[in-house]
Amino acid sequence: MKVLVLNCGSSSLKYQLINMDTEEVLAKGIAERIGIAGSFVKHEATGKEKVVIEDTMENHKAAIKIVLDCLVHETHGAINSMTEISAVGHRVVHGGEKFAGSVIINEEVKATLEECSELAPLHNPPNLMGIYACEEILPSVPMVGVFDTAFHQTMPKSSYLYALPYELYDKYKIRRYGFHGTSHKYVAMRAADILGKPLEELKIVTCHLGNGASIAAVDRGKSIDTSMGFTPLEGLAMGTRCGDMDPAITTFLMEKEGLTSGELNNLMNKKSGVLGISGVSSDFRDIETAADEGNERAVMALEVYNKRVKKYIGAYAAEMGGLDAVVFTAGLGENSKETRKSVCEGLEFLGIKIDDNKNNVRGKETIVTTDDSNTKVLLIPTNEELMIARETKALI
Ligand code: ADP
């Protein structure tokens, strides 16, 4: 069974074709600049040369057509015919309170997703465009929606309610939803496998540290708390997002700087985080280099970032009443030994002892703590596409 996984953004579309009998990736790629001049698809079938196809892509439908052409292409394709695609798995960012798991996409699901668009105006509309486009191009192929929010629907009310007037929750569904759920679920499951223990017996904190970053408390397989909230702005300091701050700063800044709500939103989402503090970059590689060269603001950005990760690990260990494992994943979590080391420094009281030799690794499943460390720290590369394909296969 072959599953096509699609992750549609506003102007991009990432895809993977996975053979679910072996879980092998047959082809993957990305269409960029959809709806903008200069659009192209970077495509790579496993074992074949990478190709770049420059072509006009006015919308997601045009992009998906080109991707499908690539997949069945004589020289750089991966399958002989589109009929080999048994199902399409779509990454959908926001499932609101309606979806606590993946679903087969039907009319009712689409209508509910339209409603959820209000909660994720930047993300859900392009996800839906991908769904509508596939429906037209591959009308007889079943589709599944896999939600970033679904894994966190197990959070108790005490974790997801904000201390605002309760009526606002009823009226607007203002609550914490959490994101990156597919990744948190995947790495928690992998951690249990690697540790050789049932997930149902483990208390795990999963740290997804990429451009966007979030942490989850996975208590015996269930997410009971996570750092992102109503939107992906809450929680950790990120590449360009501020994460947690005193909410009174928003009205203060609007008054002092004469900012509109849109401008403030832009400041908190695009100009803050480690970029805002360091003034160097949102990319941790640049910031680490600047810090090594003695740039004090770069040093400070890393310290603020790491301290907040540490704080959440401590908070979630307290919430779960114990801690068996901490997992680091995504761009920074998988690549930066400095981040892992510095976040875990001082956590010996939680049973964590980092082994510097084992921690000197990138992008490979590894236990980076000493053998006698009571709490294990693991590096696990995330694989959201595989998780989406697995959920799709299970439902089909
Ligand atoms: P996203 O999917 O959210 O865009 P990724 O998980 O790909 O993000 O992570 C991207 C981030 O990972 C980059 O912005 C960079 O800061 C960080 N990163 C990637 N490689 C390294 C590295 N070798 N050292 C430090 N940070 C890295």
Side-chain angles (χ1 to χ4, degrees):
M1 174 184 195
K2 288 164 193 148
V3 173
L4 177 63
V5 177
L6 291 184
N7 179 356
C8 294
S10 55
S11 67
S12 73
L13 181 162
K14 288 188 203 147
Y15 63 93
Q16 277 194 14
L17 181 69
I18 304 180
N19 178 347
M20 288 311 291
D21 302 328
T22 56
E23 295 199 339
E24 257 178 304
V25 176
L26 301 172
K28 63 180 175 183
I30 181 166
E32 291 189 65
R33 301 183 63 86
I34 299 171
I36 310 172
S39 43
F40 60 91
V41 175
K42 276 191 218 159
H43 168 87
E44 186 179 11
T46 305
K48 295 185 180 172
E49 289 258 319
K50 219 186 224 173
V51 288
V52 178
I53 287 118
E54 290 175 18
D55 206 339
T56 315
M57 287 178 251
E58 272 173 18
N59 49 35
H60 286 73
K61 189 174 160 192
I64 291 173
K65 272 194 178 146
I66 295 177
V67 166
L68 291 171
D69 285 346
C70 285
L71 291 174
V72 299
H73 195 272
E74 245 179 36
T75 51
H76 53 256
I79 47 177
N80 294 320
S81 141
M82 291 213 273
T83 56
E84 288 181 48
I85 300 172
S86 306
V88 180
H90 290 270
R91 178 200 182 200
V92 182
V93 169
H94 216 308
E97 286 189 321
K98 297 276 168 58
F99 301 112
S102 305
V103 285
I104 293 186
I105 295 172
N106 56 25
E107 290 306 317
E108 198 186 327
V109 167
K110 280 186 287 180
T112 311
L113 285 180
E114 293 281 1
E115 284 168 29
C116 293
S117 283
E118 197 180 71
L119 294 171
L122 297 180
H123 296 102
N124 272 32
N127 299 159
L128 271 160
M129 278 191 260
I131 291 171
Y132 291 130
C134 280
E135 224 170 30
E136 284 186 43
I137 306 170
L138 300 165
S140 54
V141 177
M143 298 193 285
V144 168
V146 180
F147 306 94
D148 270 36
T149 48
F151 182 55
H152 302 301
Q153 279 295 305
T154 45
M155 280 196 285
K157 216 164 189 172
S158 53
S159 293
Y160 73 68
L161 269 193
Y162 288 111
L164 286 167
Y166 192 85
E167 305 78 58
L168 294 176
Y169 165 60
D170 279 339
K171 194 170 173 188
Y172 298 114
K173 289 283 165 253
I174 295 180
R175 50 158 284 177
R176 311 187 57 258
Y177 290 96
F179 298 87
H180 292 140
T182 310
S183 176
H184 288 295
K185 184 176 177 182
Y186 174 79
V187 297
M189 285 167 62
R190 280 301 305 144
D193 273 353
I194 295 166
L195 297 174
K197 294 194 175 145
L199 186 57
E200 296 69 29
E201 288 175 13
L202 294 170
K203 294 172 191 289
I204 307 176
V205 171
T206 49
C207 309
H208 179 108
L209 311 180
N211 242 326
S214 69
I215 304 201
V218 185
D219 191 358
R220 288 159 290 181
K222 292 203 163 101
S223 170
I224 62 146
D225 209 346
T226 189
S227 59
M228 282 180 169
F230 181 59
T231 74
L233 183 58
E234 192 181 345
L236 301 174
M238 305 178 212
T240 60
R241 291 176 226 164
C242 60
D244 296 334
M245 65 175 193
D246 183 340
I249 296 170
T250 53
T251 44
F252 180 89
L253 274 181
M254 285 173 97
E255 282 168 25
K256 293 282 178 193
E257 297 272 312
L259 300 180
T260 62
S261 60
E263 286 164 343
L264 182 63
N265 224 356
N266 194 45
L267 181 145
M268 295 186 297
N269 277 290
K270 304 260 171 74
K271 297 184 183 165
S272 302
V274 290
L275 167 69
I277 299 178
S278 70
V280 172
S281 165
S282 62
D283 193 303
F284 285 85
R285 285 163 285 204
D286 302 335
I287 300 171
E288 283 176 2
T289 306
D292 287 344
E293 289 165 356
N295 181 322
E296 281 182 24
R297 276 173 56 184
V299 172
M300 198 44 63
L302 295 175
E303 286 182 5
V304 169
Y305 184 91
N306 294 339
K307 182 171 280 189
R308 214 176 286 183
V309 177
K310 190 194 298 255
K311 227 157 108 170
Y312 269 101
I313 294 174
Y316 289 167
E319 234 179 284
M320 292 191 287
L323 184 64
D324 297 302
V326 176
V327 181
F328 285 92
T329 193
L332 184 66
E334 292 168 26
N335 287 296
S336 172
K337 61 175 190 235
E338 291 83 7
T339 301
R340 294 189 297 265
K341 167 95 176 160
S342 152
V343 164
C344 293
E345 229 157 35
L347 297 186
E348 292 76 13
F349 77 101
L350 283 176
I352 293 176
K353 279 197 236 168
I354 294 287
D355 180 322
D356 287 334
N357 281 329
K358 292 184 185 164
N359 188 39
N360 191 8
V361 66
R362 266 170 208 276
K364 201 173 94 198
E365 287 186 349
T366 316
I367 298 176
V368 301
T369 33
T370 58
D371 292 341
D372 65 345
S373 183
N374 284 332
T375 300
K376 305 293 181 198
V377 176
L378 300 98
L379 182 175
I380 302 179
T382 195
N383 196 339
E384 287 159 291
E385 292 79 11
L386 177 59
M387 198 71 205
I388 292 172
R390 281 184 186 162
E391 303 257 324
T392 303
K393 179 184 172 188
L395 282 172
I396 299 296

